Amino acid sequence: MAYRIHEDRLGAAFGCAADDALLRAGLRAGLPLAYECNAGGCGSCKFELVEGEILDAWPAAPGLSERDRGRRRYLACQSLPASDCRIKMIGRGDASEAPLPERVSATLEAVEDLTHDMREFRFRTDRPANFLPGQYALLSLPGLGSLRAYSMSNVANDTGEWHFIIRRVRNGAATSLLFDLRPGARVTLDGPYGRAYLRTATARHVVCIAGGSGLSPMIGIARGLDRLGPPQDGSFDFFYGGRSADDICGEMMLRDLPRLGGRLRFHPIVSNEDARWAGRTGMVHELVADLPDETFSRADFYLAGPPPMAEAVVSLLARGRSVPAERIHYDRFF
Ligand SMILES: Cc1cc2nc3c(=O)[nH]c(=O)nc-3n(C[C@H](O)[C@H](O)[C@H](O)COP(=O)(O)OP(=O)(O)OC[C@H]3O[C@@H](n4cnc5c(N)ncnc54)[C@H](O)[C@@H]3O)c2cc1C
Ligand code: FES
């Protein structure tokens, strides 16, 4: 069963199945709706319910304040329709070059451990995998009532391959299930989503900055860049922050890239004191701060990781080094 949703800000209507979220149905219809995480955390997809009824899949989602709740505001990524509705999005979205998201069934083909808690999962779908480098998909796992976002570490392909580098979270509901999956397991995959994709039209000097599980989309950006050809100024900076020496990985994947590998400058840093670590200790934004001024004045910056890391890096770039917003690309992880 599908309901009709009218969005007042754009003056547009779209159909939304009873088991779909308003945000995702609107994006499937090609509407430029505001969003970022798709996971109830950022609050970018807030809307006001003007008429109709919705089912709130996660009433306690942190992206909504008590004040919002009192004003009939909801999160479009957590709202399922229970009738035809009229809504008004609070934020303004941008048009995207990305393919429209679809829900498809996927089979786990292989897994590979990268560190003590990071694993690459390789899924395959029956149709081509269409997405832009750096985007993410939502996985629906058997036995878990809610979706989780994971970013692709590979690039679009006709053979239907979707690769994700995923960090196991202690007692995490989704990652506990994921790390128990064996090849042959089936999941539902919904995507692609995300605004922090590689901008091909402006492929200047690119700097990638990842913290923890943010490695996956940054590897995806690097692979996408590699497909485009050598960077104009001959270098490629990749920053990766972990807690200890055991967390640092990804350099070999990057060095293997046929075009970019030889030009890579890999900058790892760990935040905890670790006797086994001979490199820099501190937070990843402290290392980024050491880049030459000319890099800040012309590079495109892509970053991914937990909100405190993203906020520290964005603050350094935007306020500390005056990098304009159109050269900073990120989707916060929640
Ligand atoms: C855009 C984006 C991209 C991401 N990409 C990656 C990636 O490439 N690799 C990676 O390892 N991690 C990634 N993450 C993080 C990932 O989605 C999970 O948050 C993480 O794996 C922990 O999930 P968990 O269920 O194991 O942990 P838990 O601690 O059980 O759950 C953590 C998260 O689940 C969500 N959640 C909790 N309860 C509910 C609910 N009732 N309904 C809906 N959501 C709920 C919240 O977002 C919460 O922060 C990404 C997150 C986002 C937003
Ligand atoms: S809370 Fe809905 S997109 Fe982040």
Side-chain angles (χ1 to χ4, degrees):
M1 163 143 202
Y3 294 104
R4 186 172 186 276
I5 313 297
H6 187 275
E7 202 284 303
D8 283 1
R9 184 184 268 282
L10 296 167
F14 57 95
C16 182
D19 67 346
D20 204 359
L22 301 190
L23 172 69
R24 296 188 275 282
L27 295 172
R28 282 182 227 295
L31 299 187
L33 301 181
Y35 79 105
E36 185 181 325
C37 71
N38 234 313
C42 71
S44 317
C45 67
K46 265 181 228 171
F47 71 90
E48 191 182 312
L49 184 60
V50 183
E51 273 170 31
E53 303 219 356
I54 58 111
L55 184 77
D56 188 347
W58 191 15
L64 214 55
S65 67
E66 276 315 311
R67 193 154 176 261
D68 288 324
R69 292 187 173 92
R71 296 162 84 188
R72 265 173 85 77
R73 288 185 172 179
Y74 298 89
L75 296 173
C77 68
Q78 304 298 324
S79 299
L80 281 63
S83 73
D84 290 344
C85 293
R86 228 181 97 205
I87 65 171
K88 184 171 182 208
M89 296 297 287
I90 306 298
R92 201 178 288 276
D94 302 319
S96 167
E97 305 156 42
L100 298 182
E102 291 181 310
R103 287 194 274 198
V104 287
S105 176
T107 305
L108 181 63
E109 288 212 322
V111 294
E112 185 185 345
D113 284 332
L114 303 181
T115 69
H116 61 110
D117 65 355
M118 299 266 273
R119 182 176 284 180
E120 186 174 58
F121 293 78
R122 299 181 170 204
F123 288 92
R124 191 184 289 276
T125 54
D126 288 343
R127 53 181 97 171
N130 280 326
F131 55 87
L132 298 179
Q135 287 200 288
Y136 66 90
L138 299 172
L139 296 191
S140 167
L141 300 166
L144 187 72
S146 51
L147 306 171
R148 290 291 185 276
Y150 293 105
S151 313
M152 282 71 83
S153 59
N154 64 332
V155 291
N157 58 85
D158 288 339
T159 47
E161 288 189 51
W162 302 71
H163 300 176
F164 306 93
I165 298 174
I166 298 180
R167 188 171 148 257
R168 183 176 206 145
V169 171
R170 192 188 294 264
N171 300 321
T175 47
S176 300
L177 287 169
L178 264 167
F179 277 68
D180 281 347
L181 289 185
R182 296 287 163 259
R186 291 179 80 77
V187 302
T188 303
L189 189 156
D190 183 358
Y193 295 102
R195 305 292 199 201
Y197 52 79
L198 180 65
R199 269 50 176 186
T200 51
T202 58
R204 300 171 263 234
H205 182 158
V206 166
V207 177
C208 287
I209 307 161
S213 53
L215 184 67
S216 199
M218 293 301 102
I219 296 277
I221 294 280
R223 287 177 170 154
L225 200 58
D226 191 65
R227 264 202 186 174
L228 290 180
Q232 284 164 9
D233 80 346
S235 60
F236 170 55
D237 286 289
F238 195 104
F239 291 81
Y240 186 46
R243 285 183 207 138
S244 64
D246 292 342
D247 294 336
I248 301 301
C249 65
E251 183 174 358
M252 283 308 120
M253 284 182 200
L254 295 165
R255 296 243 175 256
D256 281 348
L257 293 174
R259 294 199 181 96
L260 224 54
R263 298 159 189 261
L264 171 73
R265 291 192 298 221
F266 187 71
H267 311 272
I269 185 163
V270 306
S271 56
N272 296 345
E273 289 298 332
D274 186 338
R276 298 159 303 160
W277 179 248
R280 278 278 295 266
T281 302
M283 309 308 266
V284 72
H285 67 278
E286 295 164 7
L287 202 50
V288 176
D290 293 345
L291 280 169
D293 287 346
E294 58 171 29
T295 303
F296 293 110
S297 57
R298 58 198 171 87
D300 274 5
F301 291 83
Y302 293 86
L303 55 121
M309 172 241 151
E311 275 147 32
V313 174
V314 172
S315 165
L316 167 80
L317 297 176
R319 285 192 280 285
R321 299 292 187 274
S322 306
V323 178
E326 61 273 16
R327 286 199 279 115
I328 308 176
H329 311 285
Y330 65 102
D331 290 316
R332 280 168 297 168
F333 283 19
F334 288 92

